[in-house]
Amino acid sequence: IEPGLYYSKSNPFISSIVSHWPESSRTYSVKNGATPYLVNWDYRTGLPFLVNKVSFQEHLRVWTQNRFDGEYLALDIAFPSNANGDFVHYLEQPVYLILHGLNGGSHEEYVKDLVKRRRAENSTLVVLIARGMMDTKMVGWNAFHGARTGDIDIAARVLKRGLVSPADVNQRSPRQILAGVGYSMGELSDFMQGTMDM
């Protein structure tokens, strides 16, 4: 397989994104600014967060359960704040479901950086804590592995039901975007493509 961006040209939403995304920004090469000593994307994106710290980002931890094996899933939700400092959820802004890397969680610098930047744009961000990570308890032996996409599906469905109260249904955006964002092993698990109607 040749290097490049592969996507469905029959999906108008994705095609629109690609048309606004310069090839130089999505092609990893020395010609386009890659450093010869950082040989892959994980290093290019991870290394800056080993040497730079991001301020604490407050999360609200909620739990849901995978009904197929009984394991509990932790979701760390970071809401934007209004002028009074109260947490709010803006229905017209995207919601980001973040899948951290193999040893990560909501405390990782790259996750905090994304949360800080997107909260400033009034988006809500949710970190799905992989099973057993960040000292989350487990009830069985079904520990984290990158091939388990069921937890992601459950988290997305919980968000679809839980972020909008019944009173807000008539006022909500007809198509709020739920964007999946993954890093390292989280990226491998990130099966969500494009958007999901909230």
Side-chain angles (χ1 to χ4, degrees), residues 14 18 24 40 49 58 67 84 95 131 153 170 175 186:
I14 297 299
V18 172
S24 62
N40 71 32
F49 299 107
E58 189 171 356
R67 61 184 174 90
N84 297 329
V95 175
R131 295 173 180 217
D153 181 58
N170 293 329
R175 187 173 170 88

Side-chain angles (χ1 to χ4, degrees), residues 23-45:
E23 186 173 349
S24 62
S25 296
R26 57 182 157 92
T27 304
Y28 188 73
S29 69
V30 174
K31 175 185 166 194
N32 291 319
T35 57
Y37 52 87
L38 295 179
V39 295
N40 71 32
W41 282 104
D42 280 358
Y43 292 138
R44 189 174 178 197
T45 55

Side-chain angles (χ1 to χ4, degrees), residues 34-80:
T35 57
Y37 52 87
L38 295 179
V39 295
N40 71 32
W41 282 104
D42 280 358
Y43 292 138
R44 189 174 178 197
T45 55
L47 190 61
F49 299 107
L50 293 175
V51 296
N52 298 298
K53 299 297 179 194
V54 180
S55 60
F56 173 76
Q57 299 297 305
E58 189 171 356
H59 292 83
L60 172 67
R61 177 158 294 175
V62 297
W63 297 87
T64 189
Q65 189 173 26
N66 184 324
R67 61 184 174 90
F68 297 106
D69 65 7
E71 289 293 348
Y72 290 91
L73 308 175
L75 302 173
D76 282 356
I77 304 176
F79 291 100

Side-chain angles (χ1 to χ4, degrees), residues 74 100-102 104 128-134 136 144:
H100 60 74
L102 185 57
L128 170 58
I129 307 302
R131 295 173 180 217
M133 302 292 175
M134 292 188 69
T136 55
F144 167 78

Side-chain angles (χ1 to χ4, degrees), residues 23-195:
E23 186 173 349
S24 62
S25 296
R26 57 182 157 92
T27 304
Y28 188 73
S29 69
V30 174
K31 175 185 166 194
N32 291 319
T35 57
Y37 52 87
L38 295 179
V39 295
N40 71 32
W41 282 104
D42 280 358
Y43 292 138
R44 189 174 178 197
T45 55
L47 190 61
F49 299 107
L50 293 175
V51 296
N52 298 298
K53 299 297 179 194
V54 180
S55 60
F56 173 76
Q57 299 297 305
E58 189 171 356
H59 292 83
L60 172 67
R61 177 158 294 175
V62 297
W63 297 87
T64 189
Q65 189 173 26
N66 184 324
R67 61 184 174 90
F68 297 106
D69 65 7
E71 289 293 348
Y72 290 91
L73 308 175
L75 302 173
D76 282 356
I77 304 176
F79 291 100
S81 301
N82 63 16
N84 297 329
D86 300 323
F87 289 146
V88 292
H89 174 66
Y90 293 99
L91 302 174
E92 66 279 358
Q93 297 295 357
V95 175
Y96 294 90
L97 177 56
I98 303 169
L99 308 173
H100 60 74
L102 185 57
N103 63 343
S106 56
H107 65 291
E108 290 293 331
E109 300 300 325
Y110 58 89
V111 173
K112 292 191 302 185
D113 184 68
L114 176 63
V115 168
K116 180 179 180 180
R117 291 171 188 268
R118 298 295 82 87
R119 283 179 70 198
E121 298 172 354
N122 292 326
S123 288
T124 299
L125 297 97
V126 181
V127 182
L128 170 58
I129 307 302
R131 295 173 180 217
M133 302 292 175
M134 292 188 69
D135 294 326
T136 55
K137 303 286 186 215
M138 297 192 52
V139 297
W141 292 99
N142 288 328
F144 167 78
H145 63 76
R148 181 181 288 112
T149 59
D151 289 353
I152 304 166
D153 181 58
I154 288 167
R157 291 176 191 278
V158 165
L159 292 174
K160 184 176 179 179
R161 285 192 316 266
L163 285 176
V164 178
S165 71
D168 293 331
V169 168
N170 293 329
Q171 301 167 359
R172 76 184 214 187
S173 169
R175 187 173 170 88
Q176 185 171 23
I177 294 173
L178 174 61
V181 180
Y183 178 79
S184 188
M185 283 299 289
E187 183 178 9
L188 294 175
S189 301
D190 186 0
F191 77 101
M192 291 177 297
Q193 299 174 10
T195 63

